[in-house]
């Protein structure tokens, strides 16, 4: 059972998200928060597997709450719930350790898939959000692509295969099955890739994989 914390200052949004999540028999919403400070307190109390946080909340915004939860309850993966027009916040969220980004108005199946993915140790970017994240981080798109390709060029062929599958949202176990490796070996590859490329987390690795054009090659 994936124990989930849901934080949004709008009760109707929380009710809708809860209803979608609980259509999956393997996901349980263990607590709801109406603001960011309450989200941090409930994360400490319940230690959920996943915390879904709205960006804009009173008392403490979702990004600040994400940073506190990742620092105080590191076993809890954070997923940011966003709407179009909030892309500028997403770049900051990457640095706060968020593992996923989902659109409130997106396909309900993505919500369930995203929670399942991050609970399994993967990064998850809603496809529509991924496009906006990359655009936000790009600045000059062509130079960003060239830079990304140059960075991944220093990886071995196998490391690029692993990075491509991280970008596709696969967990370590799924990557191991796809590449006929043991899960521990994949975990070692991921750690090496993050270290060699100076990345903080799997979400940053996923964005780089998209920018370098690896997703689709290894996936």
């Amino acid at each position: 059972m994936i124990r989930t914390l849901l934080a949004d200052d709008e009760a109707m949004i929380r009710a809708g998200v809860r209803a979608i999540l609980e259509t999956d028999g393997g996901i349980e919403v263990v607590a709801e928060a109406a603001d960011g400070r309450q989200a941090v307190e409930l994360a400490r109390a319940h230690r959920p597997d996943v915390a879904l946080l709205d960006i804009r909340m009173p008392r403490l915004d979702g990004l600040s709450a994400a940073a506190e939860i990742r620092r105080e309850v590191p076993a809890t993966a954070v997923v940011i719930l966003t709407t179009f027009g909030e892309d500028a916040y997403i770049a900051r969220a990457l640095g706060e350790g968020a593992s996923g980004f989902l659109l409130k108005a997106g396909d309900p199946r993505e919500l369930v898939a995203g929670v399942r993915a991050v609970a399994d140790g993967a990064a998850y970017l809603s496809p529509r959000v991924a496009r906006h994240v990359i655009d936000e981080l790009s600045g000059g798109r062509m130079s960003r692509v060239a830079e990304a390709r140059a960075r991944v060029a220093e990886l071995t062929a196998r490391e690029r295969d692993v990075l491509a599958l991280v970008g596709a949202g696969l967990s370590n176990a799924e990557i191991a099955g796809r590449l006929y490796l043991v899960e521990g070996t994949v975990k070692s590859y991921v750690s090496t890739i993050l270290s060699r490329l100076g990345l903080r987390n799997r979400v940053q690795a996923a964005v780089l994989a998209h920018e370098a054009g690896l997703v689709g090659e290894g996936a």
Side-chain angles (χ1 to χ4, degrees):
M1 185 66 71
I2 300 171
R3 303 173 68 256
T4 305
L5 163 68
L6 172 60
D8 194 293
D9 59 327
E10 296 187 40
M12 289 186 67
I13 295 292
R14 294 200 308 273
V17 172
R18 173 190 278 271
I20 291 169
L21 292 178
E22 293 187 343
T23 62
D24 185 304
I27 299 175
E28 176 188 10
V29 177
V30 296
E32 292 186 21
D35 60 63
R37 177 53 58 200
Q38 186 181 25
V40 174
E41 293 168 355
L42 290 173
R44 288 196 206 104
H46 292 273
R47 301 195 170 269
D49 302 302
V50 178
L52 286 116
L53 308 177
D54 183 29
I55 287 181
R56 297 182 180 180
M57 291 188 290
R59 295 182 67 200
L60 190 69
D61 66 66
L63 301 183
S64 299
E68 288 198 30
I69 290 171
R70 292 298 298 147
R71 183 171 61 252
E72 298 184 27
V73 195
T76 297
V78 172
V79 176
I80 298 296
L81 292 169
T82 184
T83 60
F84 284 128
E86 295 180 329
D87 304 348
Y89 296 98
I90 295 175
R92 177 185 156 199
L94 287 170
E96 304 293 7
S99 298
F101 298 91
L102 295 166
L103 284 174
K104 288 183 181 179
D107 188 327
R109 291 171 296 183
E110 288 182 9
L111 185 60
V112 173
V115 168
R116 283 199 158 278
V118 300
D120 201 27
Y124 190 89
L125 294 170
S126 166
R128 293 166 71 190
V129 174
R131 177 73 269 153
H132 281 254
V133 172
I134 292 169
D135 288 344
E136 172 67 25
L137 297 180
S138 291
R141 178 65 183 144
M142 294 308 295
S143 61
R144 187 74 184 188
V145 169
E147 178 187 344
R149 288 178 175 170
R151 290 178 71 186
V152 302
E154 63 187 68
L155 301 177
T156 66
R158 180 57 86 190
E159 287 169 346
R160 285 196 297 274
D161 289 342
V162 171
L163 179 59
L165 295 175
V166 168
L170 274 65
S171 67
N172 288 347
E174 291 169 330
I175 294 172
R178 186 75 65 88
L179 299 180
Y180 304 103
L181 300 170
V182 298
E183 188 173 350
T185 299
V186 173
K187 184 176 181 180
S188 178
Y189 271 124
V190 172
S191 295
T192 298
I193 290 166
L194 295 181
S195 177
R196 291 185 66 182
L197 298 181
L199 303 171
R200 292 184 60 182
N201 54 49
R202 292 176 77 107
V203 175
Q204 291 184 346
V207 170
L208 181 63
H210 279 275
E211 289 180 331
L214 294 183
V215 179
E217 294 180 8

